[in-house]
Amino acid sequence: MPELRIALLNIAFTQNPALKATLRRASSTESIPKLSGDQDFPPTISTACSTSPSTPVTRSPQAFLDEKPAQQESTEQQSPSSSPPNEQEFKQLKQQLDSHDRRIKRHEKILEERKRQDRQYALVLYGLKELDVQPPQDWKSKDDSMTQLLKASLPKVPGVDYGWISNKRLGSFSSNNRKPRPVLIEFPSMEDKHQFLQLSKPLRESGLRLDDWLTEQQPKERDALNADFQALKGKGYKPFFRGSVLMYRSNDKACVCQQDKADTVPPAL
């Protein structure tokens, strides 16, 4: 290639000025023809690498030889940084995540407490049959027919006076449901709720069951107490739940059993 040949000659003249002077003298006496593009070996070269034929790009010989392949240069520019991660920044980020996690748990606890407070004056009745008539469009609203059905299904217990402020089915109506939807019953006070709970035994005898209106978390807490529940039954007690609290009666007194503490309870008399 003429360009490479010119570049090599220019480098040789730069490193050995005496060689250039000798060639000049020889060319004056022997008329040595000059190379194409060689004008007394100027310090720069016109190359065929220009973007336009009329505008040549001039570079020094050293820059020509030091030029890196375009592919290698592009690869180096795109290569990610190999510097190690900043340990201090990592610690700060972890502290922020831990702080957010604690805040989330704190807010979840507050929300759970509010749900339990809102539901403390309510009970859920399971097993009450569905109405034979077509339900109204807003099935969750108070329905007089269902209220009459509920009153007719409750047993009459002497000395027990009960009343409630609202009742409604939980969930959407479907003709494919094999089990009737539970009924939510809300009371004006805790005393009215306790009065209604005295119907628990006669309701069970008729195939109905009463329970607290539980949050999503409380069934999980009950499951964690299942071993203690069975242990109390094995000792002759009739354990029951109030919310997610495991209880039993001893000498006509309601007692609380903590998790993994049923072994410390003496057998029933």
Side-chain angles (χ1 to χ4, degrees), residues 99-236:
S99 176
H100 288 310
D101 186 58
R102 288 192 297 268
R103 290 180 59 188
I104 291 173
K105 290 181 179 179
R106 183 168 63 250
H107 287 298
E108 287 178 343
K109 184 178 180 181
I110 294 174
L111 181 61
E112 177 68 18
E113 291 175 354
R114 289 179 179 176
K115 285 183 178 180
R116 297 188 185 194
Q117 291 176 0
D118 294 341
R119 302 182 181 201
Q120 62 180 338
Y121 296 145
L123 289 172
V124 178
L125 179 64
Y126 295 90
L128 185 65
K129 65 178 182 179
E130 296 276 0
L131 295 173
D132 295 333
V133 298
Q134 181 69 21
Q137 184 176 3
D138 186 9
W139 186 242
K140 292 186 177 181
S141 64
K142 182 177 179 180
D143 180 62
D144 292 336
S145 299
M146 196 197 69
T147 302
Q148 296 302 322
L149 176 63
L150 177 59
K151 289 182 177 180
S153 302
L154 297 177
K156 305 296 182 181
V157 179
V160 178
D161 184 19
Y162 50 81
W164 62 90
I165 57 177
S166 66
N167 54 260
K168 61 182 179 181
R169 294 277 185 179
L170 295 176
S172 302
F173 175 81
S174 174
S175 58
N176 297 326
N177 287 343
R178 296 183 178 180
K179 294 183 179 180
R181 292 169 296 161
V183 179
L184 175 64
I185 308 173
E186 296 181 291
F187 301 91
S189 66
M190 189 64 69
E191 182 179 357
D192 292 293
K193 177 181 177 179
H194 288 162
Q195 284 285 326
F196 200 89
L197 281 171
Q198 296 186 38
L199 303 177
S200 295
K201 185 175 180 180
L203 283 173
R204 285 197 301 269
E205 293 174 353
S206 61
L208 303 178
R209 179 174 64 89
L210 278 175
D211 199 354
D212 290 300
W213 188 17
L214 303 178
T215 66
E216 295 80 1
Q217 181 64 28
Q218 287 178 302
K220 301 176 183 178
E221 296 176 359
R222 285 187 176 187
D223 291 341
L225 292 166
N226 184 60
D228 297 277
F229 186 93
Q230 299 299 329
L232 290 174
K233 288 181 64 176
K235 290 187 176 184

Side-chain angles (χ1 to χ4, degrees), residues 42-58:
T44 58
I45 318 167
S46 296
T47 69
C49 301
S50 61
T51 56
S52 173
S54 60
T55 309
V57 179
T58 57

